[in-house]
Amino acid sequence: MRLFTAIDLPEDFITVLSSALAQFPRLRWMDYKQLHLTLRFLGEVHDKNIGDLINALKNVPVSEFILEPEGSGFFPDRRRPNVFWTGLKSNNSLDRLKLDMEQVLEDFGFPRENRSFKPHITLLRIKHRMAPRLMDKLSETFDALALPLVKVNSFKLFSSKLLPSGAVHSVIETFGD
């Protein structure tokens, strides 16, 4: 099973995002019902190991905290965009959750993730060259959004099935409140 851990987004956050997405009807956005803040992509995990993985993730402490929205951008960068995202401001609580999770996952047998963590929500996967004017308009629109704060008191283990229409995510387990 293809797995990842993530923080679900509240309905009011999704509502504001989806109204902005609707301003660009020609773009093939990620399904707004599937939007999330990925904490750690785990990749393929054998079905027989999922129960043990769930038990390991129960050892990640989750304290309630708030995330603030913070801008938008392109990965890997604006010159060669593959992804358009909206960001969330990192803070000590999110950093602690991520560190604690990395330690539990490393103890379980996953290699430590060495790249820096940029909290973001993938909105669009860019498959073809995008006009600079459109990139500017996306940035202006999403940077100006009045997105609500995100209250975090849990994270989830998701499975991800890749289909021709896009990935479909399903919750396997919730950790925390």
Side-chain angles (χ1 to χ4, degrees), residues 12-42:
D12 58 345
F13 193 93
I14 297 293
T15 299
V16 174
L17 269 181
S18 63
S19 67
L21 302 177
Q23 295 176 42
F24 301 89
R26 291 187 173 175
L27 296 177
R28 192 166 160 229
W29 297 102
M30 304 297 287
D31 180 351
Y32 70 89
K33 296 174 199 139
Q34 302 271 330
L35 296 176
H36 58 271
L37 168 61
T38 300
L39 294 170
R40 180 65 147 71
F41 180 72
L42 303 172

Side-chain angles (χ1 to χ4, degrees), residues 50-64:
I50 292 175
D52 291 337
L53 176 60
I54 289 169
N55 287 333
L57 287 170
K58 288 178 181 176
N59 294 315
V60 177
V62 182
S63 300
E64 186 173 300

Side-chain angles (χ1 to χ4, degrees), residues 84-101:
F84 177 68
W85 51 265
T86 190
L88 293 164
K89 212 180 272 188
S90 194
N91 61 36
N92 290 339
S93 298
L94 179 60
D95 293 344
R96 171 68 15 218
L97 175 61
K98 183 85 170 106
L99 269 170
D100 290 343
M101 182 177 297

Side-chain angles (χ1 to χ4, degrees), residues 13-14 16 30 38 41 45 63 68 76-77 95-96 106 108 111 128 134 136 148 157 160 168 173:
F13 193 93
I14 297 293
V16 174
M30 304 297 287
T38 300
F41 180 72
V45 176
S63 300
E68 294 179 55
D77 58 44
D95 293 344
R96 171 68 15 218
E106 188 175 30
F108 189 77
H128 305 290
L134 177 56
D136 291 343
L157 177 64
S160 178
V168 175
E173 186 77 32

Side-chain angles (χ1 to χ4, degrees), residues 3 7 15 32 39 43 48 53 77-78 86 90 100 106 112 120 123-125 149 151 156 158 168:
L3 304 178
I7 294 171
T15 299
Y32 70 89
L39 294 170
K48 69 179 180 151
L53 176 60
D77 58 44
R78 194 176 168 91
T86 190
S90 194
D100 290 343
E106 188 175 30
R112 188 170 282 275
H120 70 281
L123 299 175
L124 176 67
R125 295 203 182 276
L149 299 174
K151 180 176 145 187
K156 296 181 180 187
F158 286 87
V168 175

